Amino acid sequence: MYIDPHVHMVSRTTDDYQRMALAGCVAITEPAFWAGYDRSTPQGFFDYFRQLTDFEPKRAAQYGIRHHTWLCINPKEAEDPVFAREVIALIPQFLKCENVLGIGEIGLNKNSRNELEILDAHLALAAEHGLMVLVHTPHLEDKLKGTRLIMDAIRNHSRLDPGRVLIDHVEEHTVRPVLDRGFWAGMTLYPDTKCTPQRAVDIFEMHGTERLWINSAGDWGQSDPLAVPKAQIEMKSRGHTLESVRKVSFDNPLKFLSQSGRFRIA
Amino acid sequence: MAPTPPPLSKRAVVDRYYLEHRAKVIDIAAFLDRVDRAQGDGADDFRRTALEACCRILTDGQPERARRVLELLSDHSTEPIAKSPMKGATGAVDLGAKGAR
Ligand SMILES: [Zn+2]
């Protein structure tokens, strides 16, 4: 049994839902993200938010998977702050939808001033509504700097409790600073640019299993919606206990996400 | 919870992962050969230079190689940039570039 707390099912097939269910997936959370191209109007985001709050939960339910979501305009589309603020203004009307857990995946991409401004606007929205936050950290050479800028930006919002914020896509150079500042941390099992299952298990061995989870971030790129069960196998086959395997792939996401009051596994 | 050492012995770790990582080392060697054999400019590409610097970390005998390799490949500046030049990332920092970060 497992939870995949970060997977972009809008870009996956129904067959993937079936395979995930067969591998033991009982619940997922799907953050709003970049479609691979820039949407031309805020209305495009309105329809995307409808897909995330209405259509996708029904598709998941066919396989006994509980679907939850996080809403935002992602940092890759934050370089036009006027446009981004129009999208942010659409979010409050969706907050009453029962599968919305909070704001995400917000963060930075190239660590620009406009991205930081829009990150701050999202954080203000989360603070105002008492919402949880799921954070995307930048890729490759931009991750270390971006992770630091993001943590500083969150600290400026005293109403945001780091224990209700998860900073995702950590790797060996960012996991410690994130945990040390009281945030939750996510490891993304994604080919080429993030963690392999082997490295994720190494990180558990080096940093423990408190406030850490794993996810597939499966999306429209080359990625693997079965990455979480593959990491479970890696961990078990190294001789880790079933309790530790369950902790990182089920208990931890359950504990973090349950703070929303809306997360369900059945 | 405190860190837990791998339940496997050193020998078991090598038994289990050696061939996979032997193949990756040969991939790196072949990649560098491929760049050498290719035509035209790019011999001084910052990404190739960065990869060679990473290789030196692998054999320096010090711990936490993965963290140090990632740090070597990271932008260590602290101020946000004026505007995103692109959506993607290159995987290393071009220290020789105009306005290098
Ligand atoms: Zn994502």
Side-chain angles (χ1 to χ4, degrees):
Chain A
M1 188 158 67
Y2 74 95
I3 294 166
D4 192 339
H6 186 148
V7 58
H8 299 288
M9 294 309 294
V10 298
S11 37
R12 307 298 313 190
T13 64
T14 301
D15 290 359
D16 286 336
Y17 272 121
Q18 185 180 40
R19 294 192 302 136
M20 290 162 70
L22 287 168
C25 182
V26 292
I28 56 172
T29 91
E30 171 158 11
F33 84 140
W34 188 53
Y37 64 94
D38 290 355
R39 295 168 183 90
S40 56
T41 61
Q43 188 64 35
F45 280 88
F46 183 88
D47 289 339
Y48 178 40
F49 296 159
R50 284 180 50 230
Q51 185 180 17
L52 290 171
T53 53
D54 183 38
F55 176 70
E56 216 53 51
K58 290 176 188 151
R59 204 159 70 107
Q62 290 179 305
Y63 298 94
I65 297 175
R66 279 277 184 176
H67 180 281
H68 311 79
T69 192
W70 310 76
L71 303 178
C72 73
I73 175 169
N74 72 88
K76 282 199 174 80
E77 286 169 283
E79 206 45 74
D80 178 349
V82 175
F83 182 91
R85 284 181 187 279
E86 286 177 39
V87 175
I88 293 171
L90 297 173
I91 294 174
Q93 66 191 288
F94 286 94
L95 295 179
K96 62 182 183 305
C97 299
E98 64 180 21
N99 76 329
V100 175
L101 303 182
I103 300 299
E105 55 183 306
I106 54 171
L108 298 172
N109 180 51
K110 295 303 293 179
N111 304 323
S112 76
R113 285 196 231 292
N114 287 335
E115 289 171 12
L116 210 51
E117 177 191 326
I118 294 308
L119 167 64
D120 195 66
H122 280 108
L123 292 172
L125 180 69
E128 182 190 337
H129 293 269
L131 298 169
M132 298 182 68
V133 174
L134 182 67
V135 173
H136 163 93
T137 52
H139 305 281
L140 306 176
E141 74 273 18
D142 299 314
K143 183 181 298 292
L144 183 67
K145 173 180 177 179
T147 303
R148 290 170 176 162
L149 287 170
I150 289 165
M151 291 193 295
D152 289 345
I154 297 170
R155 194 178 49 191
N156 290 337
H157 292 266
S158 57
R159 283 186 291 171
L160 292 175
D161 169 8
R164 300 182 79 228
V165 176
L166 184 129
I167 298 190
D168 217 332
H169 318 320
V170 301
E171 294 180 65
E172 287 85 344
H173 57 328
T174 54
V175 60
R176 201 65 255 166
V178 167
L179 293 174
D180 284 348
R181 290 175 73 163
F183 298 103
W184 283 68
M187 290 188 284
T188 295
L189 310 164
Y190 199 91
D192 296 341
T193 56
K194 299 188 178 77
C195 264
T196 58
Q198 288 92 330
R199 282 172 53 209
V201 180
D202 292 339
I203 289 172
F204 288 133
E205 290 169 355
M206 291 186 287
H207 299 281
T209 55
E210 282 309 320
R211 283 183 288 121
L212 259 175
W213 78 25
I214 43 177
N215 60 71
S216 71
D219 60 11
W220 45 262
Q222 190 191 21
S223 52
D224 183 1
L226 295 181
V228 172
K230 285 176 185 170
Q232 289 181 312
I233 293 171
E234 170 70 19
M235 208 168 165
K236 270 190 280 190
S237 67
R238 278 194 203 183
H240 288 283
T241 62
L242 288 174
E243 286 88 336
S244 332
V245 176
R246 185 186 151 106
K247 183 165 165 60
V248 300
S249 56
F250 185 81
D251 297 341
N252 280 359
L254 179 66
K255 184 174 175 185
F256 176 77
L257 298 165
S258 292
Q259 298 180 83
S260 67
R262 282 185 169 170
F263 185 75
R264 306 271 179 274
I265 54 166
Chain B
M1 198 179 93
T4 44
L8 300 173
S9 69
K10 284 184 169 33
R11 182 84 59 216
V13 170
V14 178
D15 285 346
R16 189 181 162 104
Y17 298 103
Y18 173 70
L19 284 180
E20 176 187 343
H21 297 293
R22 174 186 184 276
K24 288 179 181 175
V25 167
I26 297 167
D27 275 345
I28 295 170
F31 164 70
L32 294 172
D33 289 345
R34 200 176 309 137
V35 175
D36 285 348
R37 287 186 288 107
Q39 308 295 311
D41 62 2
D44 57 349
D45 190 289
F46 69 98
R47 292 165 294 184
R48 181 225 173 105
T49 310
L51 196 64
E52 288 173 346
C54 292
C55 292
R56 290 192 285 277
I57 288 182
L58 305 187
T59 55
D60 71 5
Q62 299 302 309
E64 297 201 50
R65 296 173 186 85
R67 174 181 62 76
R68 290 186 293 124
V69 163
L70 283 161
E71 285 173 357
L72 188 146
L73 297 173
S74 293
D75 175 6
H76 287 266
S77 68
T78 55
E79 289 300 312
I81 60 171
K83 197 173 187 320
S84 300
M86 57 176 174
K87 295 217 196 277
T90 56
V93 179
D94 187 359
L95 293 171
K98 193 156 98 43
R101 296 172 289 177

